[in-house]
Each structure stands twice: as C-alpha cells, then as structure tokens.
Amino acid sequence: MIITLAREFGSGGRELGKRLSDELNIPYYDKEIISSIADNCKLDARYVEHFLEEGKGTNFFFTFGHSFGLGSTVNNDLLRTIMQEQCSVMKKIAEKDCIIVGRCADVLLKELNPFRIFVFGDLDKKIERCHRREPEMSEKEIEKFLKRIDKDRAKLYSMYSDIPWGDKRGYDLLINTSGKDLKMLAKVTADYIRGVFGK
Amino acid sequence: MIITLAREFGSGGRELGKRLSDELNIPYYDKEIISSIADNCKLDARYVEHFLEEGKGTNFFFTFGHSFGLGSTVNNDLLRTIMQEQCSVMKKIAEKDCIIVGRCADVLLKELNPFRIFVFGDLDKKIERCHRREPEMSEKEIEKFLKRIDKDRAKLYSMYSDIPWGDKRGYDLLINTSGKDLKMLAKVTADYIRGVFGK
C-alpha cells in the first residue's frame, strides 16, 4: 500500500495526508526525506529543501554557497546527485506501506504502481485557510504567495513528468477539500484506498 | 443528496453512475431527461438528444427538419427553449435525492450545491473498454470516435460554464477508473458520498 499525495498550497493536503496515515496506520513521510538526502549527500538540509520544494536549486546554490566560481557543470552534477538521492531514499521508504506527501513521489515511484492522490481547493477557500494561520498577511499577499508556491511545484514536477502537475491524467483520485471537514475526508478517503488495495 | 456525474467516453462512468444509484438507493437519470424535454417541447427525442449530447443543435435542425426557410431567430429561440426546459426538468428531478449523469447537471444545479463527480480514464484503457464492446471497430477508429464525443461534450459544457469540462476546479471528486474494478469503485465512492453528506 504505497500512497503518494500531491497538494495545492493551502488546500489542507498535508493535514489530510497526516490524518490518512493515522487512519490507515501506515507511516507518513514529508520532511524526513529532505533530512535523509541532506545527510547522505552531506549538504545543508535548507539547501536540499529549497531546491526540492521550489525547483530553484541553481539560484539558491550561488546565493548560499558563496561560490560564484563554481561552473554550471559542477552545479548540474550536484542537482543530479540530489535528484538521484531523492529517488533512492524514496525507494527505500517504499519497501513498506507508506504515504509520501509531495516530492514528485507519484512519478519517482511509478514502477511500484502507487495510489496517486491530488488534493486541491477553490482559491477563496485556500486563501481563507491560510489567512486563519497567518492573520497578519493580507488576502492579496496570500494569494500571490500560494500561487508562487504552486507554480514552483509545477515547475519542479515538469522536470520529471510530461503530464503537468495537477493534471488529472497523472492521478488516481483528485479531492476537492473546499467546504469539507478534513477529518471526515480522511476517513472516507482511507475507506476508498482500502477498497482499491482490497484490504 | 444530489449527485452529478460527468464522464469521459469509455471511462465506465455511466456504469459507475448506475452502480452508485444501487449502492445509495437513489434514482439515476440520464436518457430520461431527454424524453421529458422532448415530450414537454413537443419535439423529436432524437433531435433533443443530438442537440444536447453533441452541442450540434443548429446543423441537425436544418438537416432533420427539412426547413431551410426557418431563420436563425426561430432556431435560436428553439435552442433557448430546449436549454430552459432541460434546466426545469432537472430542477424538478433534483427535488429528491438523485444521481444525474451528464447533461451539464453540475452547472445547471449549482445553486443546490450538488456533489460533483468527474470520471475519467487513461486513453489506452478507454480504448480497450470500447474495443471489448465494439470488436469490429479498429483501435484507431475508436480513439477518433471517443475523442470526438468528448470534444462535443466539452463544447456543449462551455456554453454553460467558464471552467472547462473536466477541469478539476469544477468538481468535488475526480475518479480515474483505469485498472480498477467498477463494482469496487462504486462501493468506495458511495461510502465517500455518504461521509460528505453525513449519512
């Protein structure tokens, strides 16, 4: 039972993933993958996270590494190393039942035939949710922020897949969280997954 | 419990809809809507079906009606009448729990806040399914046929909605049927719907 969950920022996808992990009693992975890659590659976890979350490896590398002298070959090698490491960390995790949030896991673990979920929401509902958490940000700022994050996710995803990020053709189930209780959604989605895996 | 179900041709969406109707013990509507409109408007059901299924009202009218003399005003009036009739037939149906397949019901019944499902599938799996039913058609012919049907559905839908047909933003749940048993999918989707409606 390998489940991958991609999500729009502000849709509640991460919370849904955690709740699914509880419902199905299988481990949940997200940031843990970053730490493993950082450890294995002997890199700063912040760099790995920034690169893998936002697809901005190159710029960040030059900014944080203070290494203007590094040519693009070295940089490309590093990108390749991180991406390969992400793949092998993920395959190790997927030897047992698990749920992996983000990380292009649906594509990287394709050969294991994971159940691929995409979680999304109406723009106004996503802004509302973020506003409750970050009340000092204006709605306009939140909208700009969440669009940027999703754009970065889509950009990174396009390095791995021909199907655009969030395009239904790349998933088994797409869940709109707008106006729905995440606790309830986790329960019914867990039932759905159990049915699919015949458990 | 108002459920609308739109589906790609060959995805098994209609069968899923019928099975959902059994699982949830609520009536299922599809062709019945056509007959009601035809009766109420005193039109040939074939004309109504062709117009509403494929968004080709105008051409068909001229071909079948043998009435080249009819001006576009009359024709437009008729189109409007059929569309209004479709809307009122559907609202009558939606006074009770029901599942409506196709007919742009998700948009036409928007104010009733229906649970909006979209059923889709991988192209090769859809071709396979159609080929089992129509073994004398080649795979190429089937592919062409199903793409045309979906294109017509999308065109008709665009008369009612700004969101393109099949775009996830217009739905609550999008189900990929590829490689999955429809009987099982109907069971788990029914559970999902019961959860959403708190039943």
Side-chain angles (χ1 to χ4, degrees):
Chain A
M1 206 193 260
I2 311 297
I3 300 150
T4 64
L5 188 151
R7 76 291 183 209
E8 286 180 355
F9 190 86
S11 67
R14 183 191 289 248
E15 184 183 332
L16 184 62
K18 280 190 181 158
R19 288 187 180 278
L20 271 178
S21 143
D22 290 341
E23 287 286 338
L24 295 165
N25 198 27
I26 59 175
Y28 163 99
Y29 295 94
D30 179 3
K31 300 278 180 204
E32 298 77 2
I33 294 171
I34 300 285
S35 339
S36 292
I37 299 168
D39 283 355
N40 298 354
C41 295
K42 305 198 190 322
L43 285 166
D44 189 318
R46 287 177 310 166
Y47 168 61
V48 175
E49 180 173 11
H50 191 86
F51 166 62
L52 289 177
E53 296 248 301
E54 307 185 25
K56 282 181 174 167
T58 317
N59 296 336
F60 195 86
F61 186 76
F62 282 120
T63 317
F64 266 64
H66 304 294
S67 315
F68 256 89
L70 278 177
S72 62
T73 316
V74 179
N75 208 21
N76 281 342
D77 282 352
L78 187 57
L79 302 193
R80 210 173 297 120
T81 306
I82 290 177
M83 284 163 90
Q84 281 169 353
E85 191 57 35
Q86 170 164 253
C87 207
S88 62
V89 164
M90 230 178 258
K91 281 184 181 158
K92 187 86 191 146
I93 286 170
E95 285 173 5
K96 294 183 185 159
D97 291 353
C98 64
I99 174 160
I100 301 177
V101 171
R103 312 263 86 81
C104 308
D106 49 312
V107 187
L108 294 175
L109 298 177
K110 200 173 184 176
E111 62 203 54
L112 299 175
N113 203 18
F115 186 75
R116 304 156 303 167
I117 301 175
F118 189 86
V119 182
F120 67 101
D122 301 345
L123 183 61
D124 56 339
K125 293 289 185 297
K126 293 188 292 184
I127 292 173
E128 250 178 65
R129 179 188 302 273
C130 294
H131 200 54
R132 281 197 299 273
R133 290 198 182 176
E134 305 285 347
E136 74 283 2
M137 274 175 89
S138 76
E139 292 195 0
K140 266 268 163 278
E141 283 170 324
I142 291 175
E143 180 173 346
K144 208 172 151 189
F145 181 75
L146 62 82
K147 280 185 175 167
R148 188 173 64 76
I149 297 274
D150 283 352
K151 202 174 158 192
D152 288 340
R153 285 178 182 168
K155 191 178 152 198
L156 181 67
Y157 193 81
S158 71
M159 294 171 70
Y160 294 100
S161 175
D162 289 338
I163 298 177
W165 180 78
D167 183 314
K168 63 180 182 293
R169 290 171 297 156
Y171 306 92
D172 296 289
L173 191 70
L174 295 97
I175 299 172
N176 187 340
T177 57
S178 303
K180 303 196 178 64
D181 177 57
L182 288 177
K183 210 170 155 182
M184 175 281 293
L185 280 186
K187 270 188 207 302
V188 294
T189 307
D191 288 340
Y192 195 104
I193 293 167
R194 276 191 214 99
V196 167
F197 284 97
K199 288 192 178 179
Chain B
M1 206 193 258
I2 310 298
I3 300 151
T4 65
L5 188 152
R7 77 292 183 207
E8 286 179 356
F9 190 85
S11 67
R14 182 190 289 244
E15 184 183 331
L16 185 62
K18 280 190 181 157
R19 289 187 179 276
L20 271 177
S21 144
D22 290 340
E23 287 286 338
L24 294 166
N25 198 25
I26 58 175
Y28 163 99
Y29 295 95
D30 180 2
K31 300 276 180 204
E32 299 77 3
I33 295 171
I34 300 283
S35 339
S36 292
I37 298 168
D39 284 353
N40 298 353
C41 295
K42 304 197 192 319
L43 285 166
D44 189 318
R46 286 178 309 166
Y47 168 60
V48 174
E49 181 173 10
H50 191 85
F51 165 61
L52 288 178
E53 297 247 302
E54 307 185 24
K56 283 181 173 167
T58 317
N59 295 336
F60 195 86
F61 185 77
F62 282 120
T63 317
F64 267 64
H66 303 293
S67 314
F68 257 88
L70 278 177
S72 62
T73 318
V74 179
N75 208 21
N76 282 343
D77 282 352
L78 186 57
L79 303 192
R80 210 173 296 121
T81 305
I82 291 179
M83 286 163 88
Q84 280 169 354
E85 191 56 34
Q86 169 164 253
C87 206
S88 61
V89 165
M90 230 179 259
K91 280 184 181 158
K92 187 83 191 148
I93 286 171
E95 284 174 5
K96 294 183 185 159
D97 291 353
C98 64
I99 175 159
I100 302 176
V101 171
R103 314 261 86 80
C104 308
D106 50 311
V107 187
L108 294 175
L109 298 177
K110 199 173 184 175
E111 61 204 52
L112 300 175
N113 202 20
F115 185 74
R116 303 157 302 168
I117 300 176
F118 189 86
V119 182
F120 66 102
D122 301 345
L123 182 61
D124 56 340
K125 294 289 186 297
K126 292 188 294 185
I127 292 174
E128 249 178 65
R129 178 187 303 273
C130 294
H131 200 53
R132 280 197 300 272
R133 290 197 182 179
E134 305 285 347
E136 75 282 1
M137 274 176 88
S138 75
E139 294 195 359
K140 266 270 162 279
E141 284 171 325
I142 291 175
E143 179 173 346
K144 208 173 152 188
F145 181 74
L146 61 82
K147 280 185 175 167
R148 189 174 63 76
I149 297 276
D150 283 352
K151 203 175 158 192
D152 287 341
R153 286 178 181 169
K155 190 179 151 198
L156 181 67
Y157 192 82
S158 72
M159 293 172 70
Y160 294 100
S161 174
D162 289 338
I163 299 177
W165 181 77
D167 182 315
K168 63 179 181 293
R169 290 172 297 156
Y171 306 91
D172 295 290
L173 191 69
L174 296 97
I175 300 172
N176 187 340
T177 57
S178 303
K180 302 193 179 67
D181 176 59
L182 289 177
K183 208 170 156 183
M184 175 281 295
L185 279 187
K187 271 189 204 302
V188 294
T189 307
D191 288 341
Y192 194 104
I193 293 168
R194 277 190 213 100
V196 167
F197 284 97
K199 288 192 178 177

